[in-house]
Amino acid sequence: MNDFLNYLLLGLTRGSMYAVIALGYTLVYGVLQLINFAHSEVFMSGAFASYLAVTRFVKEGDRPAWYIVVALILMGLLVGAAVGAAVAWTLERVAYRPLRRRGAPKLAFLISAIGASFFLSQLAGKMFNRLTSNTFPEYFNRDKAVISVGGVNLTLIQAIVIGSAVVMMIFLDRLVSGTKLGRAIRGVAEDAPTAALMGIDIDKTISRTFMIGGALGGAAGFLFGTQLVFGNTMGFIPGVKAFAAAVLGGIGNIRGAMLGGLLLGVVESLVPTFPWWHESGWVGQQWTDVVAFVILVMVLLFRPSGILGERLGRAA
Amino acid sequence: MRTRSLTKLAALGFAGTLALSACGSSGSSGGGLNNDGGSGGGGDATYTIAFEGPLSGDYQQLGINEVNGVQLAIDQANAKGDLGFKLKLMKADDGGDPAKAPAAAAQVLQDKTVVGVIGPSFSGATKAVGNIYGDAGMTVITPSASNPSLSTLGFKTFHRIVPNDNVEGSQAAVWLAKKAKKVYVINDLSDYGDGVANAVQEGLKKAGVKIIKQGVAGGGATKDYGTAAAAVKNSGAAAMFYAGYDADAAQLATALKAAGYKGIRIGGNGIKSSVFTDSSKKAGDGWYMSCGCLDATVAPAAKQFTADYKAAFNTDPSTYSPEAFDAANALIEAIKAAKAGGGVTLASVNEAVNALNYTGITATIKFQEDGEIVPENQVVNLFQQKGGAITLLGNILEQK
């Protein structure tokens, strides 16, 4: 039971990361019916940017006081979010808007997205390095147990990841369901021409949607880099997984992306080692990705529009 | 109109991607040939020793470690002045990539003054060109390609001066069996990882040690080693062997530390690198590494070599530099023997290499029929990361 709960926590940590990234895919899909394949590079740029910011203040081996650590984490999240938003905005301007203006077919958007993705990942490789395993300095004890009940440990970094993800998800949910901008996003998602007639500036709304998704992705980049490793190719795998999570929950559906992300993370961490929690189990860890995608296929077989369905217009 | 704009865009996209990949590689390219061809016209003949290995790209550092070793051996031999011929170095860059290796081999074979090759550095690249060199009769001595199958593929001129992964894995198993009754073996599912994991598992099984196997995809495919580490911790195994490469091992190290695993952690030659130490930081301290290689900065036999290397290249020799130095010296010995025996041809050099009995700084080089060093001369060393640096503990079979 303890083992189960420990794995569940590992899964929730992984899943909340997926969920936050998945939101970026789902938001853009909601307004444009377009898979933004360069979103994984937005995520990557958030990690690099926050690394540069954080290492201005701490280096390896430093152990600043707790309030400085809190400030650094908040700064990391904000810098990651700001740069993510900026990259996403630029991306929309350079890679998508010109195509939209000319009414290009969907395929062109896809190619453009893949080109932009290559460009950003190689650019980061050129500017920084091409290692896959860069790490943030360890300026606080990430593995300290904050809650420890009978062998079940929630470590500090897990608490930070899950906590930040929950805050971001609630914030986004409120933003989309309760603000004017949110209403505009939902309007464009439901019926863009009609929304335009109602006085909504479509270009501006799309641009802002990209920035919101980008900010979430960039902040997730910081969390990912702080917990694990980062590098110029780091975006691809979490990006694919998060995209799968978005589809699993129902693409275009914000709560669906959250649910899909968490579910995928938990399944990935629980199924392969079930039921012995250490040996190969019935499945084995090398099958992790297979398990995740088999579940995706099964869900789509029975519910082609995802668990919560594609509620494009009613994004929340 | 619609289709035209699409084509235009697609073309643009492709052009962009191409330009990008071009700029991605431009910074680090430029290995290529640097020989100016032709043998010495006047007195002594000039023979060229070629080095094939990664001189650009992700694995560039390994190639530089090795080519410097070769360069040093050649410079020293020329400086002695008693060869009766002059030696030159040719660098052929294969990026460590099997796909690029044939082009590098073609460059080498075009130059008629080349009498032998040090390299290729990587097993995949060696597999790709073993027959090309073999058919040309060009002798090959690799200082680092350690995949066991290389000596079984019938390459006619293949030699290697390091123990292969089977030897390394089985000796690591002997050591592990002394330390643990239950060992967790993680395999990164690559060719290399599979080979090492199998060798270790076989050795452990012979010693009656309980084995738990787990495959965790490496090569950057797994980003979160949390569940893998939790599984190691839960298993209660006294030791864990990681069969895979440095960057992935570093992530596993961090995750194992987070999970609070206190047992023995060890990996093969694939993790003995600065990539592992830099990225795992404190989490890597205490990790062991088995490697059929020598740490030139501490080994007594390599003192002179280390000093000379530092003087020539202004940096300490690193992984596989001493092996490359030995391989080049062995080849030079063979060229001398061929010259004394009648004439220097590709065939006579290859024969001389086969007949070598040369004591270098890493091992006594004497090849068996299949191109491996005779078993009694194969030394696997045990290393450990301490305080962020990899230190040599000594011959793994002699470790307690």
Side-chain angles (χ1 to χ4, degrees), chain A residues 3 7 14 60 99 103 105 108 118-119 122 126 130 132-133 135-136 138 143 224 228-229 237 269 277-280 285-286, chain B residues 2 6 9 20 23-24 184 189 212-216 220-221 223-224 226-228 230-231 234-235 247 251 254 257-258 279 281:
Chain A
D3 289 338
Y7 277 91
R14 193 188 282 206
E60 190 62 41
L99 300 187
F118 272 117
F119 175 80
Q122 296 300 323
K126 194 88 184 145
R130 292 174 189 277
T132 52
S133 54
T135 47
F136 275 69
E138 204 179 331
D143 312 326
F224 192 93
L228 307 164
V229 289
I237 288 170
S269 121
W277 312 117
H278 61 90
E279 300 188 19
S280 288
Q285 290 196 10
Q286 66 265 50
Chain B
R2 233 174 115 81
L6 173 61
L9 281 163
L20 205 85
C23 87
Y184 202 105
L189 308 174
I212 304 166
K213 292 182 226 174
Q214 189 67 269
V216 180
K223 294 285 178 198
D224 182 355
T227 48
N234 289 345
S235 71
Q251 296 177 49
T254 309
K257 181 167 167 264
S279 157
K281 299 175 187 161

Short mmCIF file of all heavy atoms in Angstrom, two decimals, chain A residues 3 7 14 60 99 103 105 108 118-119 122 126 130 132-133 135-136 138 143 224 228-229 237 269 277-280 285-286, chain B residues 2 6 9 20 23-24 184 189 212-216 220-221 223-224 226-228 230-231 234-235 247 251 254 257-258 279 281:
data_model
loop_
_atom_site.label_atom_id
_atom_site.label_comp_id
_atom_site.label_asym_id
_atom_site.label_seq_id
_atom_site.Cartn_x
_atom_site.Cartn_y
_atom_site.Cartn_z
N ASP A 3 3.91 1.43 -1.03
CA ASP A 3 4.56 1.52 -2.34
C ASP A 3 3.60 2.11 -3.35
O ASP A 3 3.95 2.98 -4.13
CB ASP A 3 4.99 0.12 -2.79
CG ASP A 3 6.15 -0.39 -1.96
OD1 ASP A 3 6.84 0.46 -1.37
OD2 ASP A 3 6.35 -1.61 -1.90
N TYR A 7 4.25 5.50 -5.52
CA TYR A 7 4.21 5.54 -6.98
C TYR A 7 3.12 6.50 -7.48
O TYR A 7 3.28 7.16 -8.49
CB TYR A 7 3.96 4.14 -7.56
CG TYR A 7 5.23 3.34 -7.67
CD1 TYR A 7 5.64 2.52 -6.65
CD2 TYR A 7 6.02 3.42 -8.82
CE1 TYR A 7 6.81 1.79 -6.74
CE2 TYR A 7 7.18 2.70 -8.92
CZ TYR A 7 7.58 1.88 -7.87
OH TYR A 7 8.74 1.18 -7.98
N ARG A 14 4.56 13.64 -12.26
CA ARG A 14 4.79 13.56 -13.70
C ARG A 14 3.56 14.06 -14.45
O ARG A 14 3.65 14.80 -15.41
CB ARG A 14 5.06 12.09 -14.05
CG ARG A 14 5.61 11.89 -15.42
CD ARG A 14 5.66 10.42 -15.75
NE ARG A 14 6.79 9.73 -15.14
CZ ARG A 14 7.32 8.61 -15.67
NH1 ARG A 14 6.83 8.10 -16.78
NH2 ARG A 14 8.31 8.01 -15.08
N GLU A 60 26.00 26.32 -7.86
CA GLU A 60 26.03 25.00 -7.26
C GLU A 60 26.62 25.08 -5.85
O GLU A 60 27.67 25.69 -5.66
CB GLU A 60 26.87 24.08 -8.15
CG GLU A 60 26.80 22.62 -7.77
CD GLU A 60 25.39 22.06 -7.88
OE1 GLU A 60 24.71 22.40 -8.85
OE2 GLU A 60 24.98 21.30 -6.99
N LEU A 99 0.34 32.67 -42.52
CA LEU A 99 -0.40 31.60 -43.21
C LEU A 99 -1.89 31.83 -43.10
O LEU A 99 -2.66 31.64 -44.04
CB LEU A 99 -0.05 30.24 -42.62
CG LEU A 99 1.41 29.81 -42.68
CD1 LEU A 99 1.54 28.37 -42.22
CD2 LEU A 99 1.94 29.94 -44.09
N GLY A 103 -4.97 32.41 -45.88
CA GLY A 103 -5.90 31.29 -45.97
C GLY A 103 -5.23 30.01 -46.42
O GLY A 103 -5.78 29.25 -47.21
N PRO A 105 -3.86 26.19 -46.47
CA PRO A 105 -4.49 24.96 -45.99
C PRO A 105 -3.84 24.47 -44.70
O PRO A 105 -2.72 24.86 -44.38
CB PRO A 105 -4.26 23.97 -47.12
CG PRO A 105 -3.09 24.50 -47.85
CD PRO A 105 -3.13 25.99 -47.72
N ALA A 108 -0.15 23.27 -44.43
CA ALA A 108 0.92 24.26 -44.39
C ALA A 108 1.23 24.68 -42.97
O ALA A 108 2.39 24.86 -42.61
CB ALA A 108 0.52 25.48 -45.22
N PHE A 118 11.97 22.67 -35.18
CA PHE A 118 13.38 22.40 -35.48
C PHE A 118 14.22 23.64 -35.23
O PHE A 118 15.28 23.59 -34.61
CB PHE A 118 13.56 22.00 -36.94
CG PHE A 118 13.40 20.54 -37.19
CD1 PHE A 118 12.39 20.06 -38.00
CD2 PHE A 118 14.28 19.64 -36.61
CE1 PHE A 118 12.24 18.71 -38.23
CE2 PHE A 118 14.13 18.29 -36.84
CZ PHE A 118 13.11 17.82 -37.64
N PHE A 119 13.72 24.75 -35.75
CA PHE A 119 14.49 25.98 -35.66
C PHE A 119 14.81 26.33 -34.21
O PHE A 119 15.95 26.57 -33.85
CB PHE A 119 13.72 27.13 -36.32
CG PHE A 119 14.40 28.46 -36.16
CD1 PHE A 119 15.46 28.80 -37.00
CD2 PHE A 119 14.02 29.35 -35.18
CE1 PHE A 119 16.11 30.00 -36.84
CE2 PHE A 119 14.67 30.56 -35.01
CZ PHE A 119 15.71 30.89 -35.85
N GLN A 122 17.22 23.80 -32.52
CA GLN A 122 18.60 23.94 -32.99
C GLN A 122 19.20 25.27 -32.54
O GLN A 122 20.39 25.36 -32.25
CB GLN A 122 18.67 23.83 -34.51
CG GLN A 122 18.25 22.48 -35.04
CD GLN A 122 19.12 21.36 -34.49
OE1 GLN A 122 20.32 21.52 -34.31
NE2 GLN A 122 18.51 20.22 -34.18
N LYS A 126 22.60 25.76 -30.51
CA LYS A 126 23.67 26.63 -30.99
C LYS A 126 24.04 27.66 -29.91
O LYS A 126 25.22 27.94 -29.69
CB LYS A 126 23.13 27.36 -32.23
CG LYS A 126 24.15 28.04 -33.07
CD LYS A 126 24.71 27.11 -34.10
CE LYS A 126 25.83 27.79 -34.86
NZ LYS A 126 26.86 26.85 -35.22
N ARG A 130 24.52 21.27 -26.59
CA ARG A 130 23.68 20.19 -27.11
C ARG A 130 23.66 19.01 -26.16
O ARG A 130 23.37 17.89 -26.56
CB ARG A 130 24.18 19.78 -28.49
CG ARG A 130 23.96 20.85 -29.52
CD ARG A 130 24.56 20.52 -30.87
NE ARG A 130 24.50 21.68 -31.73
CZ ARG A 130 23.44 22.03 -32.44
NH1 ARG A 130 22.36 21.27 -32.39
NH2 ARG A 130 23.44 23.10 -33.18
N THR A 132 22.13 16.61 -23.27
CA THR A 132 20.75 16.30 -22.92
C THR A 132 20.53 16.39 -21.43
O THR A 132 19.41 16.29 -20.97
CB THR A 132 20.39 14.87 -23.36
OG1 THR A 132 21.38 14.01 -22.83
CG2 THR A 132 20.34 14.74 -24.85
N SER A 133 21.59 16.56 -20.67
CA SER A 133 21.43 16.41 -19.23
C SER A 133 21.97 17.60 -18.44
O SER A 133 22.68 17.44 -17.47
CB SER A 133 22.12 15.13 -18.78
OG SER A 133 23.46 15.15 -19.22
N THR A 135 21.65 20.48 -15.72
CA THR A 135 20.86 20.53 -14.49
C THR A 135 20.91 21.92 -13.86
O THR A 135 21.88 22.65 -14.06
CB THR A 135 21.38 19.53 -13.45
OG1 THR A 135 22.79 19.66 -13.37
CG2 THR A 135 21.02 18.12 -13.82
N PHE A 136 19.87 22.24 -13.14
CA PHE A 136 19.87 23.46 -12.34
C PHE A 136 20.79 23.25 -11.14
O PHE A 136 20.96 22.12 -10.69
CB PHE A 136 18.45 23.76 -11.83
CG PHE A 136 17.60 24.51 -12.80
CD1 PHE A 136 17.16 23.90 -13.96
CD2 PHE A 136 17.23 25.82 -12.56
CE1 PHE A 136 16.36 24.58 -14.87
CE2 PHE A 136 16.44 26.51 -13.45
CZ PHE A 136 16.00 25.91 -14.61
N GLU A 138 21.66 22.91 -7.36
CA GLU A 138 20.78 22.40 -6.30
C GLU A 138 20.81 23.39 -5.14
O GLU A 138 21.59 23.23 -4.21
CB GLU A 138 21.24 21.01 -5.86
CG GLU A 138 20.12 20.21 -5.25
CD GLU A 138 20.57 18.82 -4.83
OE1 GLU A 138 21.49 18.29 -5.46
OE2 GLU A 138 19.98 18.30 -3.87
N ASP A 143 15.01 16.76 -2.10
CA ASP A 143 14.51 15.45 -1.69
C ASP A 143 14.02 15.42 -0.25
O ASP A 143 13.72 14.36 0.28
CB ASP A 143 15.61 14.41 -1.88
CG ASP A 143 16.24 14.53 -3.25
OD1 ASP A 143 15.50 14.89 -4.18
OD2 ASP A 143 17.45 14.31 -3.38
N PHE A 224 10.18 21.39 -14.79
CA PHE A 224 10.79 20.17 -15.33
C PHE A 224 12.30 20.22 -15.13
O PHE A 224 12.91 19.27 -14.65
CB PHE A 224 10.45 20.06 -16.82
CG PHE A 224 10.76 18.74 -17.44
CD1 PHE A 224 9.81 17.75 -17.51
CD2 PHE A 224 12.02 18.49 -17.97
CE1 PHE A 224 10.09 16.53 -18.08
CE2 PHE A 224 12.31 17.26 -18.55
CZ PHE A 224 11.34 16.28 -18.60
N LEU A 228 14.19 17.60 -12.97
CA LEU A 228 14.92 16.59 -13.73
C LEU A 228 16.11 17.22 -14.43
O LEU A 228 17.00 17.73 -13.79
CB LEU A 228 13.96 15.89 -14.71
CG LEU A 228 12.69 15.32 -14.04
CD1 LEU A 228 11.63 15.00 -15.07
CD2 LEU A 228 13.03 14.08 -13.24
N VAL A 229 16.13 17.16 -15.73
CA VAL A 229 17.24 17.72 -16.49
C VAL A 229 16.67 18.55 -17.63
O VAL A 229 15.48 18.46 -17.92
CB VAL A 229 18.13 16.61 -17.09
CG1 VAL A 229 18.92 15.91 -16.03
CG2 VAL A 229 17.30 15.64 -17.90
N ILE A 237 9.82 14.63 -26.15
CA ILE A 237 9.08 13.54 -25.51
C ILE A 237 7.95 14.05 -24.59
O ILE A 237 6.80 13.63 -24.75
CB ILE A 237 10.04 12.56 -24.81
CG1 ILE A 237 10.77 11.78 -25.90
CG2 ILE A 237 9.30 11.62 -23.89
CD1 ILE A 237 11.90 10.96 -25.43
N SER A 269 3.28 5.67 -14.26
CA SER A 269 4.09 5.31 -13.11
C SER A 269 3.56 4.07 -12.40
O SER A 269 4.31 3.32 -11.82
CB SER A 269 4.20 6.54 -12.20
OG SER A 269 3.71 6.28 -10.95
N TRP A 277 5.81 -3.73 -7.46
CA TRP A 277 6.43 -2.43 -7.20
C TRP A 277 7.94 -2.43 -7.24
O TRP A 277 8.55 -1.47 -6.87
CB TRP A 277 5.96 -1.85 -5.87
CG TRP A 277 4.50 -1.91 -5.72
CD1 TRP A 277 3.80 -2.60 -4.80
CD2 TRP A 277 3.52 -1.28 -6.55
NE1 TRP A 277 2.46 -2.44 -4.99
CE2 TRP A 277 2.27 -1.64 -6.06
CE3 TRP A 277 3.61 -0.44 -7.68
CZ2 TRP A 277 1.09 -1.19 -6.63
CZ3 TRP A 277 2.45 0.00 -8.25
CH2 TRP A 277 1.20 -0.38 -7.73
N HIS A 278 8.56 -3.50 -7.64
CA HIS A 278 10.01 -3.34 -7.82
C HIS A 278 10.51 -4.18 -8.99
O HIS A 278 11.28 -3.71 -9.79
CB HIS A 278 10.79 -3.65 -6.54
CG HIS A 278 10.61 -5.05 -6.04
ND1 HIS A 278 11.44 -6.05 -6.42
CD2 HIS A 278 9.71 -5.58 -5.18
CE1 HIS A 278 11.06 -7.17 -5.81
NE2 HIS A 278 10.01 -6.91 -5.06
N GLU A 279 10.06 -5.42 -9.12
CA GLU A 279 10.56 -6.21 -10.24
C GLU A 279 9.83 -5.79 -11.50
O GLU A 279 9.13 -4.80 -11.52
CB GLU A 279 10.38 -7.68 -9.93
CG GLU A 279 11.15 -8.01 -8.67
CD GLU A 279 11.21 -9.47 -8.36
OE1 GLU A 279 10.97 -10.28 -9.27
OE2 GLU A 279 11.52 -9.81 -7.23
N SER A 280 9.98 -6.58 -12.50
CA SER A 280 9.39 -6.18 -13.77
C SER A 280 7.87 -6.11 -13.72
O SER A 280 7.25 -5.58 -14.60
CB SER A 280 9.82 -7.14 -14.88
OG SER A 280 11.16 -6.89 -15.16
N GLN A 285 9.06 -1.95 -16.96
CA GLN A 285 9.18 -0.53 -17.23
C GLN A 285 9.52 -0.19 -18.67
O GLN A 285 9.26 0.91 -19.12
CB GLN A 285 10.22 0.09 -16.30
CG GLN A 285 9.72 0.12 -14.88
CD GLN A 285 10.52 1.04 -14.01
OE1 GLN A 285 11.35 1.80 -14.49
NE2 GLN A 285 10.30 0.97 -12.73
N GLN A 286 10.12 -1.15 -19.37
CA GLN A 286 10.44 -0.81 -20.75
C GLN A 286 9.18 -0.64 -21.59
O GLN A 286 9.22 -0.15 -22.70
CB GLN A 286 11.40 -1.83 -21.40
CG GLN A 286 10.84 -3.21 -21.58
CD GLN A 286 11.22 -4.10 -20.40
OE1 GLN A 286 11.05 -3.73 -19.25
NE2 GLN A 286 11.72 -5.28 -20.69
N ARG B 2 -4.42 28.00 -54.68
CA ARG B 2 -4.27 27.38 -53.37
C ARG B 2 -3.06 26.46 -53.33
O ARG B 2 -2.23 26.55 -52.45
CB ARG B 2 -5.52 26.56 -53.08
CG ARG B 2 -6.16 26.88 -51.77
CD ARG B 2 -7.43 26.11 -51.69
NE ARG B 2 -7.32 25.14 -50.59
CZ ARG B 2 -7.51 25.48 -49.33
NH1 ARG B 2 -7.80 26.70 -48.98
NH2 ARG B 2 -7.41 24.56 -48.39
N LEU B 6 0.64 26.66 -51.37
CA LEU B 6 1.07 25.58 -50.47
C LEU B 6 2.48 25.12 -50.84
O LEU B 6 3.33 24.95 -49.99
CB LEU B 6 0.09 24.41 -50.56
CG LEU B 6 0.53 23.16 -49.80
CD1 LEU B 6 0.68 23.46 -48.32
CD2 LEU B 6 -0.44 22.03 -50.01
N LEU B 9 5.01 27.50 -49.76
CA LEU B 9 5.25 27.46 -48.33
C LEU B 9 6.06 26.24 -47.94
O LEU B 9 6.99 26.32 -47.14
CB LEU B 9 3.91 27.45 -47.60
CG LEU B 9 3.31 28.83 -47.55
CD1 LEU B 9 1.85 28.74 -47.22
CD2 LEU B 9 4.05 29.66 -46.52
N LEU B 20 18.88 25.49 -41.52
CA LEU B 20 19.08 25.33 -40.10
C LEU B 20 20.02 24.19 -39.79
O LEU B 20 20.95 24.31 -39.00
CB LEU B 20 17.72 25.00 -39.51
CG LEU B 20 17.64 25.37 -38.10
CD1 LEU B 20 17.25 26.82 -38.04
CD2 LEU B 20 16.61 24.52 -37.47
N CYS B 23 23.44 25.18 -40.49
CA CYS B 23 24.13 26.00 -39.51
C CYS B 23 24.37 25.22 -38.24
O CYS B 23 25.29 25.48 -37.50
CB CYS B 23 23.39 27.32 -39.24
SG CYS B 23 22.14 27.23 -38.00
N GLY B 24 23.55 24.18 -38.03
CA GLY B 24 23.77 23.35 -36.86
C GLY B 24 25.10 22.63 -36.92
O GLY B 24 25.73 22.39 -35.91
N TYR B 184 20.38 -5.62 -8.81
CA TYR B 184 19.38 -5.07 -9.72
C TYR B 184 20.09 -4.61 -10.98
O TYR B 184 21.00 -3.78 -10.91
CB TYR B 184 18.70 -3.88 -9.04
CG TYR B 184 17.34 -3.53 -9.55
CD1 TYR B 184 16.20 -3.84 -8.83
CD2 TYR B 184 17.19 -2.88 -10.77
CE1 TYR B 184 14.94 -3.52 -9.30
CE2 TYR B 184 15.93 -2.56 -11.24
CZ TYR B 184 14.81 -2.88 -10.51
OH TYR B 184 13.56 -2.57 -10.97
N LEU B 189 18.51 -0.72 -23.05
CA LEU B 189 17.91 -1.25 -24.28
C LEU B 189 18.65 -0.82 -25.54
O LEU B 189 18.12 -0.91 -26.64
CB LEU B 189 16.43 -0.86 -24.39
CG LEU B 189 15.57 -1.19 -23.16
CD1 LEU B 189 14.16 -0.64 -23.32
CD2 LEU B 189 15.50 -2.69 -22.91
N ILE B 212 17.60 -9.08 -10.48
CA ILE B 212 16.34 -8.48 -10.90
C ILE B 212 16.63 -7.67 -12.15
O ILE B 212 17.50 -6.79 -12.13
CB ILE B 212 15.75 -7.58 -9.81
CG1 ILE B 212 15.59 -8.38 -8.51
CG2 ILE B 212 14.42 -7.02 -10.25
CD1 ILE B 212 15.34 -7.51 -7.33
N LYS B 213 15.94 -7.97 -13.23
CA LYS B 213 16.21 -7.27 -14.48
C LYS B 213 15.17 -6.20 -14.73
O LYS B 213 14.00 -6.38 -14.40
CB LYS B 213 16.15 -8.25 -15.66
CG LYS B 213 17.25 -9.26 -15.67
CD LYS B 213 17.10 -10.12 -16.91
CE LYS B 213 17.26 -11.59 -16.54
NZ LYS B 213 16.98 -12.47 -17.65
N GLN B 214 15.60 -5.11 -15.31
CA GLN B 214 14.65 -4.07 -15.68
C GLN B 214 15.17 -3.34 -16.90
O GLN B 214 16.36 -3.04 -16.98
CB GLN B 214 14.49 -3.09 -14.51
CG GLN B 214 13.37 -2.08 -14.68
CD GLN B 214 12.01 -2.71 -14.67
OE1 GLN B 214 11.47 -3.07 -15.72
NE2 GLN B 214 11.40 -2.86 -13.51
N GLY B 215 14.31 -3.09 -17.86
CA GLY B 215 14.71 -2.31 -19.02
C GLY B 215 14.14 -0.91 -18.90
O GLY B 215 12.95 -0.74 -18.69
N VAL B 216 15.00 0.10 -19.01
CA VAL B 216 14.52 1.48 -19.01
C VAL B 216 15.18 2.17 -20.20
O VAL B 216 16.40 2.30 -20.23
CB VAL B 216 14.91 2.21 -17.70
CG1 VAL B 216 14.41 3.64 -17.73
CG2 VAL B 216 14.35 1.48 -16.49
N GLY B 220 18.08 9.37 -23.82
CA GLY B 220 17.23 10.54 -23.65
C GLY B 220 15.74 10.24 -23.76
O GLY B 220 14.91 11.12 -23.62
N ALA B 221 15.39 8.96 -24.02
CA ALA B 221 13.98 8.63 -24.20
C ALA B 221 13.22 8.67 -22.87
O ALA B 221 12.05 9.00 -22.83
CB ALA B 221 13.84 7.26 -24.83
N LYS B 223 12.74 10.50 -19.43
CA LYS B 223 13.11 11.78 -18.82
C LYS B 223 12.98 11.72 -17.31
O LYS B 223 13.57 12.49 -16.60
CB LYS B 223 12.18 12.89 -19.35
CG LYS B 223 12.35 13.18 -20.82
CD LYS B 223 13.62 13.96 -21.07
CE LYS B 223 13.82 14.21 -22.55
NZ LYS B 223 15.19 14.55 -22.87
N ASP B 224 12.14 10.83 -16.83
CA ASP B 224 11.86 10.80 -15.41
C ASP B 224 12.23 9.42 -14.87
O ASP B 224 11.54 8.44 -15.13
CB ASP B 224 10.37 11.10 -15.20
CG ASP B 224 10.01 11.13 -13.73
OD1 ASP B 224 10.89 10.82 -12.90
OD2 ASP B 224 8.86 11.46 -13.41
N GLY B 226 12.25 8.63 -11.79
CA GLY B 226 11.69 8.48 -10.45
C GLY B 226 11.15 7.08 -10.19
O GLY B 226 11.44 6.48 -9.16
N THR B 227 10.36 6.55 -11.12
CA THR B 227 9.77 5.24 -10.88
C THR B 227 10.82 4.14 -10.92
O THR B 227 10.78 3.21 -10.12
CB THR B 227 8.67 4.93 -11.92
OG1 THR B 227 9.17 5.22 -13.21
CG2 THR B 227 7.43 5.76 -11.66
N ALA B 228 11.79 4.28 -11.83
CA ALA B 228 12.86 3.29 -11.91
C ALA B 228 13.64 3.26 -10.60
O ALA B 228 13.95 2.19 -10.06
CB ALA B 228 13.79 3.59 -13.07
N ALA B 230 12.61 4.27 -7.63
CA ALA B 230 11.77 3.74 -6.55
C ALA B 230 11.76 2.22 -6.59
O ALA B 230 11.80 1.55 -5.55
CB ALA B 230 10.35 4.29 -6.67
N ALA B 231 11.76 1.67 -7.80
CA ALA B 231 11.76 0.21 -7.94
C ALA B 231 13.06 -0.39 -7.40
O ALA B 231 13.05 -1.42 -6.74
CB ALA B 231 11.56 -0.18 -9.40
N ASN B 234 12.85 -0.23 -3.61
CA ASN B 234 11.90 -1.19 -3.05
C ASN B 234 12.38 -2.63 -3.12
O ASN B 234 11.96 -3.46 -2.33
CB ASN B 234 10.56 -1.10 -3.78
CG ASN B 234 9.84 0.18 -3.43
OD1 ASN B 234 10.20 0.85 -2.48
ND2 ASN B 234 8.84 0.53 -4.21
N SER B 235 13.24 -2.91 -4.12
CA SER B 235 13.66 -4.30 -4.32
C SER B 235 14.54 -4.78 -3.18
O SER B 235 14.68 -5.98 -2.98
CB SER B 235 14.43 -4.41 -5.62
OG SER B 235 15.69 -3.79 -5.46
N ALA B 247 24.79 10.15 -19.88
CA ALA B 247 23.77 11.17 -19.63
C ALA B 247 22.55 10.56 -18.92
O ALA B 247 22.00 11.16 -18.00
CB ALA B 247 23.34 11.83 -20.94
N GLN B 251 21.02 10.94 -14.75
CA GLN B 251 19.64 11.17 -14.30
C GLN B 251 19.20 10.11 -13.31
O GLN B 251 18.52 10.39 -12.33
CB GLN B 251 18.69 11.18 -15.51
CG GLN B 251 18.97 12.31 -16.46
CD GLN B 251 18.06 12.23 -17.67
OE1 GLN B 251 16.86 12.08 -17.56
NE2 GLN B 251 18.63 12.33 -18.84
N THR B 254 20.67 10.87 -9.92
CA THR B 254 19.92 11.89 -9.21
C THR B 254 18.63 11.31 -8.62
O THR B 254 18.28 11.58 -7.46
CB THR B 254 19.58 13.04 -10.17
OG1 THR B 254 20.78 13.44 -10.83
CG2 THR B 254 19.00 14.22 -9.44
N LYS B 257 19.30 9.04 -5.65
CA LYS B 257 19.61 9.82 -4.45
C LYS B 257 18.30 10.33 -3.84
O LYS B 257 18.09 10.26 -2.64
CB LYS B 257 20.52 10.99 -4.81
CG LYS B 257 20.90 11.82 -3.60
CD LYS B 257 22.06 12.76 -3.93
CE LYS B 257 22.24 13.81 -2.85
NZ LYS B 257 21.57 15.09 -3.18
N ALA B 258 17.40 10.80 -4.72
CA ALA B 258 16.11 11.30 -4.22
C ALA B 258 15.33 10.18 -3.55
O ALA B 258 14.64 10.39 -2.56
CB ALA B 258 15.31 11.89 -5.37
N SER B 279 26.86 16.19 -14.67
CA SER B 279 25.42 16.29 -14.60
C SER B 279 24.86 15.62 -13.36
O SER B 279 23.81 16.02 -12.85
CB SER B 279 24.86 15.72 -15.90
OG SER B 279 23.58 15.31 -15.75
N LYS B 281 26.53 15.46 -10.46
CA LYS B 281 27.05 16.21 -9.30
C LYS B 281 27.19 15.32 -8.08
O LYS B 281 27.76 14.24 -8.18
CB LYS B 281 26.15 17.40 -9.02
CG LYS B 281 26.11 18.35 -10.21
CD LYS B 281 25.13 19.48 -9.98
CE LYS B 281 24.99 20.30 -11.24
NZ LYS B 281 23.78 21.10 -11.23
#
